[in-house]
Amino acid sequence: GPTVVLGKVNQAGSFGTGNSWYLPSASASSTVSPTTAFSVSAWFKTSSFDTYDIIVSNTNGSSAKRGWVILTSSSGGQINFSLCDSDCSSYAANNAIKSFSNDGNWHHVAGTWDGTTMRIYVDGAAGGTDTFSLVPDYPASNQFTIGAGTGNGLNWNGQVDEVRIYNRALLA
């Protein structure tokens, strides 16, 4: 599993191939499976990542990636906040995207959804927005994870600290 290291605030989880922290049956918890406005935030640190690496998510990891996820994309050093309903077949279906510097330093990410518009912020700077006016879907197979997705091998290579979920859409 992940190791505990010095974090941005006190201690953080250090993740690599094949390890993550997860909460099984996340769909049963309205805290990590919100269907109305919410925000999720975390501090993260890495100096390299693969095509897609998940920082934090509530997904089922199957081909129908239902729920929400914050993950990186190697195309241009981007970080994405994605939401999916029951018809979603890709993390890119509804995306708010922001570029960031992959420099081995601590960065803060926040994904917000006000019930209509998704937004992403990295280090307090606003990124892209996307419209998502449906209701996120959380099948019983979903798991709340930090450092990887559920059964999809999209492992985070770095540290994650201070993950927070709010029942409202935060502003920068």
Side-chain angles (χ1 to χ4, degrees):
T3 57
V4 177
V5 297
L6 184 62
K8 178 68 178 173
V9 179
N10 295 319
Q11 298 177 325
S14 182
F15 301 90
T17 303
N19 61 42
S20 63
W21 283 320
Y22 72 95
L23 175 66
S25 302
S27 62
S29 170
S30 63
T31 302
V32 296
S33 303
T35 56
T36 58
F38 78 100
S39 300
V40 59
S41 69
W43 286 93
F44 68 95
K45 179 179 176 181
T46 187
S47 57
S48 67
F49 51 85
D50 295 325
T51 303
Y52 295 107
D53 286 345
I54 292 176
I55 297 172
V56 59
S57 74
N58 180 349
T59 64
N60 62 2
S62 71
S63 59
K65 297 162 180 57
R66 295 160 19 191
W68 58 263
V69 63
I70 292 181
L71 74 165
T72 58
S73 168
S74 61
S75 57
Q78 296 178 330
I79 190 163
N80 304 347
F81 172 53
S82 300
L83 283 171
C84 292
D85 66 1
S86 61
D87 292 327
C88 187
S89 61
S90 169
Y91 285 131
N94 295 302
N95 249 345
I97 300 171
K98 172 77 174 131
S99 294
F100 75 100
S101 175
N102 189 15
D103 56 10
N105 293 317
W106 284 102
H107 297 278
H108 187 263
V109 61
T112 71
W113 178 58
D114 63 12
T116 303
T117 304
M118 301 166 49
R119 293 177 173 82
I120 190 165
Y121 301 90
V122 176
D123 295 331
T129 63
D130 198 1
T131 300
F132 185 81
S133 56
L134 302 171
V135 176
D137 184 51
Y138 304 98
S141 59
N142 272 29
Q143 292 182 342
F144 173 73
T145 60
I146 301 172
T150 304
N152 55 19
L154 303 177
N155 298 302
W156 180 253
N157 185 20
Q159 287 115 33
V160 179
D161 198 8
E162 302 300 310
V163 173
R164 300 282 189 255
I165 299 174
Y166 302 89
N167 63 356
R168 63 195 180 282
L170 298 175
L171 303 174

